[in-house]
C-alpha cells in the first residue's frame, strides 16, 4: 500500500510545520508526517521550513540569529490568521512528545543545504535516541553529506536523499549512501524509475503530490509513499481505489 505523509503537516489546510498541522494529519488518518528543522542562535532544534521566519510568522530575521525565546514569541499562523489562534513554531522535542502518543512515521528534513548548521545532525540523532524513535524516523536532506553523517552516527535510522532533478539509476546512488529510500521531486522520476527502484529494494517517496491525477498514478504504480499538503484528500482517493 502507498503510504501518505502529510507534508509540513496538513500544510494545505493548516499553518505549516505547527502542532496544529500535525494533529490534523493524525486526525484524518495520514500514515506519517514530514517536517523541516533548523537551529536557533542558542542551538535549539526547531521545526520551520525557511531559513528566515519572515514568510510563515509575524517576525523577521534568520532563524540562526534568533534565540529560542525570541522564536517562541512569534505567531506562526501564516496565511490562516483568522482560523488559528497564534500557533507556535514547535521544538522538535515537542513534536516527538506528541508522536509518542501515536504510531505515525516521521520524516525529518534537515534544512542545511543553504545554511550550514554545525552539530545539527548530532542534535537530531540525540533527540531521536532520547525518545527511542529510531525505527519510525526517516532523515532526509538535499545535503547528502549530512544524511551520510547521520547514518554514521546511528545506522538504525533510515536516511533518504532528496533531489529535484533526474539522476541516473537513483537506486544505485541511494545504495552508495546506505540509503534505503529516495525522496525525489515528482518531476524527477518516471513510472519506470519508480518501479525499478522499488524492485531493487529502494523505497520511493516523491514530493509534493497535491493533484488527484498524480495521486492516482502513484497508487497505481504502488509507490511506497508520497508527500502531500492534503492528506485527507489523498486518503479519500486511496480508499476509493
Ligand atoms: O520532503 C519533501 C519536501 O519537503 C522537500 O521540499 O521545499 O517542501 O521542503 P520542501
Ligand atoms: Ca520539507
Amino acid at each position: 500500500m502507498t503510504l501518505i505523509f502529510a507534508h509540513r503537516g496538513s500544510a494545505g489546510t493548516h499553518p505549516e510545520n505547527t502542532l496544529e498541522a500535525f494533529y490534523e494529519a493524525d486526525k484524518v488518518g495520514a500514515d506519517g508526517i514530514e517536517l523541516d528543522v533548523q537551529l536557533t542562535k542558542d542551538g535549539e532544534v526547531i521545526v520551520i521550513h525557511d531559513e528566515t521566519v519572515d514568510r510563515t510568522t509575524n517576525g523577521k530575521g534568520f532563524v540562526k540569529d534568533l534565540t529560542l525565546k525570541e522564536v517562541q514569541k512569534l505567531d506562526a499562523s501564516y496565511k490562516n490568521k483568522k482560523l488559528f489562534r497564534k500557533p507556535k513554531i514547535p521544538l522538535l522535542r515537542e513534536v516527538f512528545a506528541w508522536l509518542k502518543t501515536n504510531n505515525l512515521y516521521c520524516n525529518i528534513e534537515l534544512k542545511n543545504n543553504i545554511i550550514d548548521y554545525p552539530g545539527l545532525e548530532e542534535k537530531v540523532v540525540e533527540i531521536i535516541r532520547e525518545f527511542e524513535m529510531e525505527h519510525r524516523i526517516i532523515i532526509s536532506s538535499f545535503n547528502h553529506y549530512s544524511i551520510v553523517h547521520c547514518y554514521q552516527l546511528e545506522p538504525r535510522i533510515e536516511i533518504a536523499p532528496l533531489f529535484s532533478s533526474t539522476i541516473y539509476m537513483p537506486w544505485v546512488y541511494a545504495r552508495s549512501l546506505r540509503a534505503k529510500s529516495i525522496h525525489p521531486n515528482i518531476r524527477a522520476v518516471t513510472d519506470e524509475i519508480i518501479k525499478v527502484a522499488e524492485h531493487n529494494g529502494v523505497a520511493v517517496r516523491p514530493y509534493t503530490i497535491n493533484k488527484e491525477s498524480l495521486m492516482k498514478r502513484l497508487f497505481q504504480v504502488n509507490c511506497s509513499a508520497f508527500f502531500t499538503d492534503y492528506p485527507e484528500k489523498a486518503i479519500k482517493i486511496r480508499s476509493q481505489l
Side-chain angles (χ1 to χ4, degrees):
M1 186 174 73
T2 302
L3 301 184
I4 294 160
F5 277 67
H7 182 240
R8 310 182 197 171
S10 185
T13 57
H14 287 63
E16 65 176 59
N17 280 320
T18 63
L19 287 171
E20 286 77 357
F22 302 133
Y23 296 160
E24 175 68 9
D26 185 36
K27 193 180 119 196
V28 301
D31 304 293
I33 58 168
E34 186 263 0
L35 54 81
D36 306 284
V37 294
Q38 319 237 8
L39 275 190
T40 62
K41 187 178 176 183
D42 45 350
E44 296 289 343
V45 183
I46 62 163
V47 179
I48 183 167
H49 181 272
D50 297 359
E51 286 69 29
T52 72
V53 298
D54 302 14
R55 179 180 61 85
T56 54
T57 78
N58 57 344
K60 271 202 175 309
F62 282 90
V63 172
K64 69 174 179 57
D65 296 331
L66 298 166
T67 62
L68 177 64
K69 211 170 165 190
E70 288 166 332
V71 156
Q72 284 180 323
K73 284 186 192 145
L74 302 176
D75 175 353
S77 59
Y78 182 34
K79 58 190 175 191
N80 303 286
K81 286 199 176 7
K82 287 191 186 128
L83 294 174
F84 301 94
R85 286 179 61 81
K86 279 201 159 196
K88 301 283 172 225
I89 296 174
L91 280 158
L92 181 62
R93 275 171 194 289
E94 292 176 299
V95 180
F96 273 21
W98 167 72
L99 281 170
K100 288 302 272 186
T101 69
N102 58 51
N103 292 314
L104 292 175
Y105 292 105
C106 177
N107 171 207
I108 300 172
E109 182 186 346
L110 306 182
K111 280 288 182 199
N112 54 0
N113 53 315
I114 296 175
I115 292 176
D116 182 28
Y117 291 111
L120 178 64
E121 296 90 346
E122 282 81 0
K123 286 177 193 231
V124 168
V125 167
E126 191 186 309
I127 297 169
I128 295 170
R129 282 192 182 130
E130 182 188 322
F131 283 82
E132 299 179 333
M133 302 272 281
E134 292 88 345
H135 300 290
R136 282 167 62 190
I137 303 291
I138 304 146
I139 298 179
S140 65
S141 181
F142 285 101
N143 180 338
H144 300 178
Y145 286 97
S146 179
I147 55 169
V148 170
H149 186 176
C150 291
Y151 180 83
Q152 288 163 345
L153 291 169
E154 179 49 87
R156 289 179 298 165
I157 303 171
E158 183 173 332
I159 55 165
L162 274 159
F163 54 91
S164 52
S165 303
T166 304
I167 56 177
Y168 183 66
M169 295 170 76
W171 55 92
V172 175
Y173 178 63
R175 283 210 207 103
S176 76
L177 305 180
R178 305 285 193 98
K180 291 198 172 81
S181 49
I182 53 175
H183 290 186
N185 184 302
I186 186 62
R187 290 190 291 273
V189 281
T190 59
D191 288 0
E192 194 58 23
I193 291 174
I194 294 171
K195 283 183 203 162
V196 179
E198 298 273 359
H199 182 74
N200 278 276
V202 172
V204 183
R205 303 187 192 97
Y207 69 92
T208 301
I209 315 301
N210 292 335
K211 282 191 192 152
E212 181 170 343
S213 55
L214 278 180
M215 291 178 181
K216 284 184 171 163
R217 180 183 139 199
L218 293 174
F219 290 133
Q220 270 149 13
V221 297
N222 207 17
C223 195
S224 282
F226 62 75
F227 299 98
T228 178
D229 295 324
Y230 298 95
E232 188 172 18
K233 171 177 165 181
I235 288 152
K236 197 171 159 200
I237 294 168
R238 186 174 65 183
S239 68
Q240 287 164 353
L241 292 175

PDB file of all heavy atoms in Angstrom, residues 31 37 53 70 74 76 81 88 102 116 153 156 160-161 186-187 194 197 222-225 228 231-233 239:
ATOM      1  N   ASP A  31      -0.498   8.365   7.332  1.00  0.00           N
ATOM      2  CA  ASP A  31       0.414   7.337   7.852  1.00  0.00           C
ATOM      3  C   ASP A  31       1.647   7.956   8.493  1.00  0.00           C
ATOM      4  O   ASP A  31       2.312   7.322   9.305  1.00  0.00           O
ATOM      5  CB  ASP A  31       0.856   6.419   6.703  1.00  0.00           C
ATOM      6  CG  ASP A  31      -0.331   5.800   6.003  1.00  0.00           C
ATOM      7  OD1 ASP A  31      -1.027   4.986   6.637  1.00  0.00           O
ATOM      8  OD2 ASP A  31      -0.602   6.151   4.831  1.00  0.00           O
ATOM      9  N   VAL A  37      13.658  20.992   9.836  1.00  0.00           N
ATOM     10  CA  VAL A  37      14.298  21.519  11.053  1.00  0.00           C
ATOM     11  C   VAL A  37      15.486  22.436  10.746  1.00  0.00           C
ATOM     12  O   VAL A  37      16.202  22.258   9.767  1.00  0.00           O
ATOM     13  CB  VAL A  37      14.774  20.381  12.010  1.00  0.00           C
ATOM     14  CG1 VAL A  37      13.597  19.604  12.577  1.00  0.00           C
ATOM     15  CG2 VAL A  37      15.782  19.461  11.356  1.00  0.00           C
ATOM     16  N   VAL A  53      12.268  33.618   9.454  1.00  0.00           N
ATOM     17  CA  VAL A  53      10.897  33.472   9.984  1.00  0.00           C
ATOM     18  C   VAL A  53       9.912  34.362   9.217  1.00  0.00           C
ATOM     19  O   VAL A  53       8.719  34.376   9.519  1.00  0.00           O
ATOM     20  CB  VAL A  53      10.846  33.805  11.504  1.00  0.00           C
ATOM     21  CG1 VAL A  53      11.707  32.848  12.303  1.00  0.00           C
ATOM     22  CG2 VAL A  53      11.262  35.259  11.774  1.00  0.00           C
ATOM     23  N   GLU A  70      13.040  34.104  21.607  1.00  0.00           N
ATOM     24  CA  GLU A  70      12.530  35.061  20.610  1.00  0.00           C
ATOM     25  C   GLU A  70      11.605  34.362  19.605  1.00  0.00           C
ATOM     26  O   GLU A  70      10.544  34.871  19.250  1.00  0.00           O
ATOM     27  CB  GLU A  70      13.698  35.732  19.880  1.00  0.00           C
ATOM     28  CG  GLU A  70      14.434  36.727  20.750  1.00  0.00           C
ATOM     29  CD  GLU A  70      15.783  37.165  20.180  1.00  0.00           C
ATOM     30  OE1 GLU A  70      16.427  36.385  19.435  1.00  0.00           O
ATOM     31  OE2 GLU A  70      16.197  38.285  20.498  1.00  0.00           O
ATOM     32  N   LEU A  74       6.725  34.229  18.516  1.00  0.00           N
ATOM     33  CA  LEU A  74       6.141  34.533  17.203  1.00  0.00           C
ATOM     34  C   LEU A  74       4.838  33.789  16.956  1.00  0.00           C
ATOM     35  O   LEU A  74       4.613  32.695  17.477  1.00  0.00           O
ATOM     36  CB  LEU A  74       7.150  34.188  16.100  1.00  0.00           C
ATOM     37  CG  LEU A  74       8.504  34.903  16.191  1.00  0.00           C
ATOM     38  CD1 LEU A  74       9.440  34.388  15.101  1.00  0.00           C
ATOM     39  CD2 LEU A  74       8.321  36.414  16.082  1.00  0.00           C
ATOM     40  N   ALA A  76       2.889  31.802  14.353  1.00  0.00           N
ATOM     41  CA  ALA A  76       3.196  31.039  13.134  1.00  0.00           C
ATOM     42  C   ALA A  76       1.931  30.704  12.341  1.00  0.00           C
ATOM     43  O   ALA A  76       1.885  29.697  11.644  1.00  0.00           O
ATOM     44  CB  ALA A  76       3.961  29.761  13.506  1.00  0.00           C
ATOM     45  N   LYS A  81      -4.528  33.233   9.526  1.00  0.00           N
ATOM     46  CA  LYS A  81      -4.681  34.035  10.740  1.00  0.00           C
ATOM     47  C   LYS A  81      -6.067  33.970  11.391  1.00  0.00           C
ATOM     48  O   LYS A  81      -6.181  33.921  12.594  1.00  0.00           O
ATOM     49  CB  LYS A  81      -4.338  35.489  10.439  1.00  0.00           C
ATOM     50  CG  LYS A  81      -2.846  35.674  10.284  1.00  0.00           C
ATOM     51  CD  LYS A  81      -2.445  37.097  10.440  1.00  0.00           C
ATOM     52  CE  LYS A  81      -0.951  37.321  10.375  1.00  0.00           C
ATOM     53  NZ  LYS A  81      -0.090  36.232  10.037  1.00  0.00           N
ATOM     54  N   LYS A  88       2.389  28.190  17.452  1.00  0.00           N
ATOM     55  CA  LYS A  88       3.807  28.487  17.691  1.00  0.00           C
ATOM     56  C   LYS A  88       4.695  27.659  16.758  1.00  0.00           C
ATOM     57  O   LYS A  88       4.277  26.607  16.264  1.00  0.00           O
ATOM     58  CB  LYS A  88       4.184  28.121  19.134  1.00  0.00           C
ATOM     59  CG  LYS A  88       3.391  28.853  20.179  1.00  0.00           C
ATOM     60  CD  LYS A  88       3.899  30.276  20.315  1.00  0.00           C
ATOM     61  CE  LYS A  88       3.010  31.103  21.216  1.00  0.00           C
ATOM     62  NZ  LYS A  88       2.717  32.426  20.678  1.00  0.00           N
ATOM     63  N   ASN A 102       1.159   8.277  19.446  1.00  0.00           N
ATOM     64  CA  ASN A 102       0.543   7.636  18.271  1.00  0.00           C
ATOM     65  C   ASN A 102       1.592   6.781  17.563  1.00  0.00           C
ATOM     66  O   ASN A 102       2.696   6.592  18.080  1.00  0.00           O
ATOM     67  CB  ASN A 102      -0.057   8.697  17.329  1.00  0.00           C
ATOM     68  CG  ASN A 102       0.988   9.694  16.863  1.00  0.00           C
ATOM     69  OD1 ASN A 102       2.047   9.320  16.382  1.00  0.00           O
ATOM     70  ND2 ASN A 102       0.698  10.974  17.023  1.00  0.00           N
ATOM     71  N   ASP A 116      24.787  26.156   6.700  1.00  0.00           N
ATOM     72  CA  ASP A 116      25.365  25.005   7.393  1.00  0.00           C
ATOM     73  C   ASP A 116      25.122  25.198   8.896  1.00  0.00           C
ATOM     74  O   ASP A 116      25.453  26.246   9.442  1.00  0.00           O
ATOM     75  CB  ASP A 116      26.871  24.953   7.086  1.00  0.00           C
ATOM     76  CG  ASP A 116      27.522  23.763   7.734  1.00  0.00           C
ATOM     77  OD1 ASP A 116      26.831  22.759   7.936  1.00  0.00           O
ATOM     78  OD2 ASP A 116      28.729  23.851   8.039  1.00  0.00           O
ATOM     79  N   LEU A 153      26.366   8.208  12.470  1.00  0.00           N
ATOM     80  CA  LEU A 153      26.075   8.399  13.901  1.00  0.00           C
ATOM     81  C   LEU A 153      25.138   7.316  14.430  1.00  0.00           C
ATOM     82  O   LEU A 153      25.270   6.866  15.569  1.00  0.00           O
ATOM     83  CB  LEU A 153      25.410   9.765  14.133  1.00  0.00           C
ATOM     84  CG  LEU A 153      26.278  11.003  13.923  1.00  0.00           C
ATOM     85  CD1 LEU A 153      25.404  12.248  13.929  1.00  0.00           C
ATOM     86  CD2 LEU A 153      27.351  11.103  14.994  1.00  0.00           C
ATOM     87  N   ARG A 156      20.743   2.719  12.598  1.00  0.00           N
ATOM     88  CA  ARG A 156      19.369   2.198  12.672  1.00  0.00           C
ATOM     89  C   ARG A 156      18.345   3.193  12.108  1.00  0.00           C
ATOM     90  O   ARG A 156      17.201   2.823  11.862  1.00  0.00           O
ATOM     91  CB  ARG A 156      18.999   1.882  14.137  1.00  0.00           C
ATOM     92  CG  ARG A 156      19.732   0.669  14.684  1.00  0.00           C
ATOM     93  CD  ARG A 156      19.348   0.425  16.123  1.00  0.00           C
ATOM     94  NE  ARG A 156      19.735   1.545  16.972  1.00  0.00           N
ATOM     95  CZ  ARG A 156      19.290   1.763  18.210  1.00  0.00           C
ATOM     96  NH1 ARG A 156      18.418   0.928  18.748  1.00  0.00           N
ATOM     97  NH2 ARG A 156      19.701   2.795  18.916  1.00  0.00           N
ATOM     98  N   ALA A 160      17.352   9.214   3.589  1.00  0.00           N
ATOM     99  CA  ALA A 160      16.850   9.321   2.219  1.00  0.00           C
ATOM    100  C   ALA A 160      17.356  10.615   1.579  1.00  0.00           C
ATOM    101  O   ALA A 160      17.136  11.698   2.132  1.00  0.00           O
ATOM    102  CB  ALA A 160      15.318   9.315   2.217  1.00  0.00           C
ATOM    103  N   PRO A 161      18.036  10.506   0.428  1.00  0.00           N
ATOM    104  CA  PRO A 161      18.443  11.741  -0.262  1.00  0.00           C
ATOM    105  C   PRO A 161      17.254  12.393  -0.957  1.00  0.00           C
ATOM    106  O   PRO A 161      16.428  11.712  -1.572  1.00  0.00           O
ATOM    107  CB  PRO A 161      19.468  11.255  -1.302  1.00  0.00           C
ATOM    108  CG  PRO A 161      19.106   9.834  -1.573  1.00  0.00           C
ATOM    109  CD  PRO A 161      18.497   9.304  -0.289  1.00  0.00           C
ATOM    110  N   ILE A 186       8.574  14.925  -7.847  1.00  0.00           N
ATOM    111  CA  ILE A 186       7.824  14.039  -8.752  1.00  0.00           C
ATOM    112  C   ILE A 186       8.268  14.238 -10.202  1.00  0.00           C
ATOM    113  O   ILE A 186       8.247  13.288 -10.999  1.00  0.00           O
ATOM    114  CB  ILE A 186       6.289  14.224  -8.588  1.00  0.00           C
ATOM    115  CG1 ILE A 186       5.508  13.207  -9.416  1.00  0.00           C
ATOM    116  CG2 ILE A 186       5.837  15.635  -8.890  1.00  0.00           C
ATOM    117  CD1 ILE A 186       5.727  11.773  -9.074  1.00  0.00           C
ATOM    118  N   ARG A 187       8.724  15.455 -10.543  1.00  0.00           N
ATOM    119  CA  ARG A 187       9.159  15.712 -11.919  1.00  0.00           C
ATOM    120  C   ARG A 187      10.480  15.016 -12.248  1.00  0.00           C
ATOM    121  O   ARG A 187      10.874  14.910 -13.400  1.00  0.00           O
ATOM    122  CB  ARG A 187       9.303  17.217 -12.163  1.00  0.00           C
ATOM    123  CG  ARG A 187       7.962  17.938 -12.186  1.00  0.00           C
ATOM    124  CD  ARG A 187       8.111  19.377 -12.675  1.00  0.00           C
ATOM    125  NE  ARG A 187       8.829  20.204 -11.712  1.00  0.00           N
ATOM    126  CZ  ARG A 187       8.252  20.847 -10.705  1.00  0.00           C
ATOM    127  NH1 ARG A 187       6.954  20.758 -10.532  1.00  0.00           N
ATOM    128  NH2 ARG A 187       8.957  21.582  -9.876  1.00  0.00           N
ATOM    129  N   ILE A 194      10.459   4.676 -10.839  1.00  0.00           N
ATOM    130  CA  ILE A 194       9.844   4.300  -9.552  1.00  0.00           C
ATOM    131  C   ILE A 194       9.794   2.777  -9.430  1.00  0.00           C
ATOM    132  O   ILE A 194      10.224   2.202  -8.424  1.00  0.00           O
ATOM    133  CB  ILE A 194       8.421   4.900  -9.419  1.00  0.00           C
ATOM    134  CG1 ILE A 194       8.495   6.429  -9.337  1.00  0.00           C
ATOM    135  CG2 ILE A 194       7.696   4.324  -8.193  1.00  0.00           C
ATOM    136  CD1 ILE A 194       7.141   7.138  -9.416  1.00  0.00           C
ATOM    137  N   ALA A 197      13.338   1.173  -9.073  1.00  0.00           N
ATOM    138  CA  ALA A 197      13.911   1.461  -7.741  1.00  0.00           C
ATOM    139  C   ALA A 197      13.249   0.576  -6.686  1.00  0.00           C
ATOM    140  O   ALA A 197      13.927  -0.071  -5.876  1.00  0.00           O
ATOM    141  CB  ALA A 197      13.728   2.938  -7.401  1.00  0.00           C
ATOM    142  N   ASN A 222       2.047   1.575  -7.302  1.00  0.00           N
ATOM    143  CA  ASN A 222       2.365   1.009  -5.987  1.00  0.00           C
ATOM    144  C   ASN A 222       3.656   1.593  -5.395  1.00  0.00           C
ATOM    145  O   ASN A 222       4.489   0.870  -4.836  1.00  0.00           O
ATOM    146  CB  ASN A 222       2.451  -0.525  -6.084  1.00  0.00           C
ATOM    147  CG  ASN A 222       2.111  -1.169  -4.763  1.00  0.00           C
ATOM    148  OD1 ASN A 222       1.523  -0.534  -3.884  1.00  0.00           O
ATOM    149  ND2 ASN A 222       2.527  -2.420  -4.585  1.00  0.00           N
ATOM    150  N   CYS A 223       3.790   2.903  -5.555  1.00  0.00           N
ATOM    151  CA  CYS A 223       4.924   3.630  -4.983  1.00  0.00           C
ATOM    152  C   CYS A 223       4.858   3.492  -3.455  1.00  0.00           C
ATOM    153  O   CYS A 223       3.772   3.442  -2.882  1.00  0.00           O
ATOM    154  CB  CYS A 223       4.731   5.088  -5.406  1.00  0.00           C
ATOM    155  SG  CYS A 223       6.155   6.102  -5.203  1.00  0.00           S
ATOM    156  N   SER A 224       5.998   3.436  -2.784  1.00  0.00           N
ATOM    157  CA  SER A 224       5.989   3.199  -1.325  1.00  0.00           C
ATOM    158  C   SER A 224       5.183   4.241  -0.552  1.00  0.00           C
ATOM    159  O   SER A 224       4.474   3.911   0.392  1.00  0.00           O
ATOM    160  CB  SER A 224       7.413   3.190  -0.778  1.00  0.00           C
ATOM    161  OG  SER A 224       8.019   1.967  -1.064  1.00  0.00           O
ATOM    162  N   ALA A 225       5.342   5.503  -0.953  1.00  0.00           N
ATOM    163  CA  ALA A 225       4.660   6.591  -0.226  1.00  0.00           C
ATOM    164  C   ALA A 225       4.771   7.866  -1.046  1.00  0.00           C
ATOM    165  O   ALA A 225       5.521   7.910  -2.032  1.00  0.00           O
ATOM    166  CB  ALA A 225       5.309   6.808   1.141  1.00  0.00           C
ATOM    167  N   THR A 228       2.148  14.920   0.659  1.00  0.00           N
ATOM    168  CA  THR A 228       1.080  15.797   0.160  1.00  0.00           C
ATOM    169  C   THR A 228       0.682  16.818   1.211  1.00  0.00           C
ATOM    170  O   THR A 228       0.713  16.535   2.415  1.00  0.00           O
ATOM    171  CB  THR A 228      -0.165  14.983  -0.267  1.00  0.00           C
ATOM    172  OG1 THR A 228      -1.184  15.893  -0.700  1.00  0.00           O
ATOM    173  CG2 THR A 228      -0.726  14.128   0.869  1.00  0.00           C
ATOM    174  N   PRO A 231      -3.513  15.561   3.045  1.00  0.00           N
ATOM    175  CA  PRO A 231      -3.618  14.133   3.385  1.00  0.00           C
ATOM    176  C   PRO A 231      -5.052  13.606   3.364  1.00  0.00           C
ATOM    177  O   PRO A 231      -5.275  12.463   2.964  1.00  0.00           O
ATOM    178  CB  PRO A 231      -3.003  14.048   4.785  1.00  0.00           C
ATOM    179  CG  PRO A 231      -3.002  15.445   5.316  1.00  0.00           C
ATOM    180  CD  PRO A 231      -2.887  16.337   4.126  1.00  0.00           C
ATOM    181  N   GLU A 232      -6.012  14.436   3.762  1.00  0.00           N
ATOM    182  CA  GLU A 232      -7.404  13.959   3.803  1.00  0.00           C
ATOM    183  C   GLU A 232      -7.866  13.584   2.390  1.00  0.00           C
ATOM    184  O   GLU A 232      -8.487  12.528   2.172  1.00  0.00           O
ATOM    185  CB  GLU A 232      -8.312  15.033   4.406  1.00  0.00           C
ATOM    186  CG  GLU A 232      -9.715  14.515   4.655  1.00  0.00           C
ATOM    187  CD  GLU A 232     -10.575  15.500   5.438  1.00  0.00           C
ATOM    188  OE1 GLU A 232     -10.232  16.696   5.513  1.00  0.00           O
ATOM    189  OE2 GLU A 232     -11.604  15.046   5.970  1.00  0.00           O
ATOM    190  N   LYS A 233      -7.537  14.440   1.429  1.00  0.00           N
ATOM    191  CA  LYS A 233      -7.903  14.186   0.027  1.00  0.00           C
ATOM    192  C   LYS A 233      -7.233  12.894  -0.462  1.00  0.00           C
ATOM    193  O   LYS A 233      -7.869  12.030  -1.075  1.00  0.00           O
ATOM    194  CB  LYS A 233      -7.428  15.392  -0.806  1.00  0.00           C
ATOM    195  CG  LYS A 233      -7.524  15.241  -2.300  1.00  0.00           C
ATOM    196  CD  LYS A 233      -7.077  16.570  -2.953  1.00  0.00           C
ATOM    197  CE  LYS A 233      -6.790  16.407  -4.419  1.00  0.00           C
ATOM    198  NZ  LYS A 233      -6.347  17.678  -5.036  1.00  0.00           N
ATOM    199  N   SER A 239      -8.823   5.260  -0.621  1.00  0.00           N
ATOM    200  CA  SER A 239      -9.880   4.344  -0.157  1.00  0.00           C
ATOM    201  C   SER A 239     -10.861   4.000  -1.275  1.00  0.00           C
ATOM    202  O   SER A 239     -11.562   2.992  -1.207  1.00  0.00           O
ATOM    203  CB  SER A 239     -10.619   4.945   1.031  1.00  0.00           C
ATOM    204  OG  SER A 239     -11.358   6.056   0.600  1.00  0.00           O
TER     205      SER A 239
END
